[in-house]
Amino acid sequence: MVCGPVREALGLRSLVGAKLVKAFNNISDHHIPSLGRPAGAADRTALPIAGDDAQAKASAADLIGRLGFDTVDAGSLAEGWRFEPETAPYAVPYSADPDAVRAFWAEVGEALRSGTMPQTPPPVDAGVPLHAAQLRTLLADTPRKLTADRVVA
């Protein structure tokens, strides 16, 4: 939560009373159109959401559902770390070639440490479904990694 003076200094007056839901940050943009499926499809993919307001999360889940995805409630916004970069539910489980994604992130990390730009473009594939039960397990088993300890923030 951002206090009043800080909110005003940042020009965030319009956020007063806003209800925030964290969603869509753990899936690559190219997987959204390729993995969306109708409700009830056996290969429907799940995305995590986190938020502090039940009604806002329900609205977000409805939108995500209309876009072709199931949702898994990861808890409050404070639990949103469970699907940030360098956690098990982040990007890799949706990829058809997880090793290529891991290699790309390793190259990005090395480039950041050496002060150079990565030379390999990120892998693009059609993706693979990640079912809700699999996502729940990944979220539950993910150890906390502080932002300061991550290679890619």
Side-chain angles (χ1 to χ4, degrees), residues 20-81:
L20 304 175
V21 176
K22 181 177 182 174
F24 286 109
N25 77 297
N26 76 313
I27 186 169
S28 296
D29 58 345
H30 61 271
H31 286 152
I32 294 171
S34 65
L35 291 177
R37 301 287 188 275
D43 62 345
R44 189 153 153 125
T45 292
L47 300 174
I49 61 172
D52 296 332
D53 183 88
Q55 185 176 6
K57 285 200 284 189
S59 293
D62 178 61
L63 171 65
I64 293 165
R66 287 185 279 132
L67 293 172
F69 297 89
D70 290 334
T71 55
V72 171
D73 189 340
S76 68
L77 281 174
E79 293 297 311
W81 64 266

Side-chain angles (χ1 to χ4, degrees), residues 98-123:
D99 291 336
V101 174
R102 286 185 195 99
F104 169 74
W105 286 116
E107 184 177 327
V108 168
E110 185 56 39
L112 290 171
R113 283 188 290 278
S114 68
T116 63
M117 293 295 291
Q119 299 302 308
T120 306

